[in-house]
Amino acid sequence: MPALANPSAAEAYLWAIILFPLAGALINGLIGKRIGKGNATLVALGAMLGSLTIASVAFAWALSGRTLHFRGDPWIQVAGPDGRALISIGWSLLVDRLSGTLLMVITGVGTLIHVYSSSYMSHEDDAGYARFFTYLNLFVAAMLTLVLGDSLLLTFVGWEGVGLCSYLLIGFWFTDPQKAYAGRKAFVVNRVGDFGFLIGAFSLIAIFGTPAYAELGALARVISPDAIISGGVFAGWTYQSAVTLALLCLFVGATGKSAQLPLYIWLPDAM
């Protein structure tokens, strides 16, 4: 892909990493049962291979020390008393060495899972087969949004998408009461963790005034942990205390999503 040899051009293609599996989910969701298992497999696998190809190029740039940042249009803007935007959140994506590594895990392992699933689900009828790969492609798109988002709120969009797809896949055979119950249990327990994640994210926005990771990192490096916050929700708190609370709330979210104590109870049923 010659266009991706330029890092600026590669930044413009970052959204395609998410759009490939999203398009695969859309196609199989709408016409998958009519095109048959073979074509549904080609759509799902083709979407993963397209995503993997662009992710590999982005990862190569990240390994070379280049951070790729696609700056999308504003999504949410919060205006101050003078009408100017205090907070502006765009559909922006960021690839550095950390997110690039996770990109390769998601697209690489995800592609292998799709290959395995084509055999594992071969006994399903055309409708069920296409529905499964719709959920699987959608799951990958949500994970990629979680990893690529350059702000806490875009990460949360992917985070919730992963929760939704977990529910759909765990309860895939919804006519079986036990499997349907396992899906509902996973969904409810994850919402408990997600509430903690949301409180943590909004706490960091209240402390620093921005949800963007680059700005959060820059501000965190220059503040004094013992300095007192002068205004807002955390007025009178030290930065150390406020940030500690916010990060503990984020950890609650991670606890629910990764089935750690005490929010592990959904995992045995899911298995």
Side-chain angles (χ1 to χ4, degrees):
M1 303 180 70
L4 298 182
N6 184 315
S8 298
E11 289 176 336
Y13 281 92
L14 290 181
W15 269 107
I17 298 174
I18 299 173
L19 289 179
F20 267 113
L22 197 59
L26 184 65
I27 293 170
N28 273 332
L30 292 176
I31 62 172
K33 66 180 180 180
R34 293 201 294 271
I35 62 178
K37 292 181 183 179
N39 288 325
T41 303
L42 286 176
V43 168
L45 273 176
M48 289 303 303
L49 290 172
S51 184
L52 175 60
T53 300
I54 301 178
S56 299
V57 176
F59 182 54
W61 280 112
L63 283 181
S64 71
R66 175 85 184 210
T67 297
L68 302 181
H69 195 182
F70 172 79
R71 293 170 176 82
D73 295 330
W75 169 39
I76 296 175
Q77 289 186 321
V78 179
D82 58 358
R84 292 186 298 177
L86 289 177
I87 299 176
S88 180
I89 305 167
W91 292 98
S92 301
L93 305 177
L94 182 71
V95 177
D96 55 17
R97 290 186 179 184
L98 175 60
S99 60
T101 300
L102 292 174
L103 272 185
M104 298 309 297
V105 172
I106 295 168
T107 56
V109 177
T111 299
L112 295 177
I113 290 171
H114 277 67
V115 172
Y116 173 79
S117 297
S118 64
S119 174
Y120 182 79
M121 298 298 293
S122 60
H123 64 281
E124 279 289 319
D125 59 24
D126 288 356
Y129 189 86
R131 180 165 61 90
F132 180 83
F133 278 99
T134 297
Y135 296 163
L136 210 54
N137 269 174
L138 192 61
F139 202 150
V140 172
M143 284 192 288
L144 290 169
T145 303
L146 191 162
V147 167
L148 285 171
D150 81 332
S151 70
L152 284 163
L153 292 191
L154 194 53
T155 293
F156 186 72
V157 171
W159 188 275
E160 286 299 293
V162 168
L164 171 63
C165 294
S166 294
Y167 162 72
L168 293 173
L169 286 168
I170 293 169
F172 177 79
W173 286 294
F174 56 87
T175 53
D176 183 327
Q178 185 179 15
K179 296 178 176 61
Y181 170 78
R184 292 195 302 271
K185 187 174 183 179
F187 188 83
V188 171
V189 174
N190 272 279
R191 296 295 74 73
V192 175
D194 293 354
F195 181 72
F197 184 98
L198 197 58
I199 295 299
F202 281 126
S203 296
L204 288 176
I205 295 171
I207 296 165
F208 295 106
T210 178
Y213 292 126
E215 295 175 16
L216 285 171
L219 290 169
R221 281 190 288 270
V222 299
I223 63 169
S224 170
D226 297 324
I228 303 297
I229 300 175
S230 58
V233 177
F234 294 100
W237 290 49
T238 63
Y239 278 100
Q240 183 177 37
S241 299
V243 171
T244 298
L245 175 64
L247 296 184
L248 284 173
C249 289
L250 292 179
F251 181 72
V252 170
T255 298
K257 195 68 72 182
S258 56
Q260 300 177 53
L261 290 169
L263 300 179
Y264 74 96
I265 55 174
W266 64 270
L267 188 59
D269 295 273
M271 292 299 101

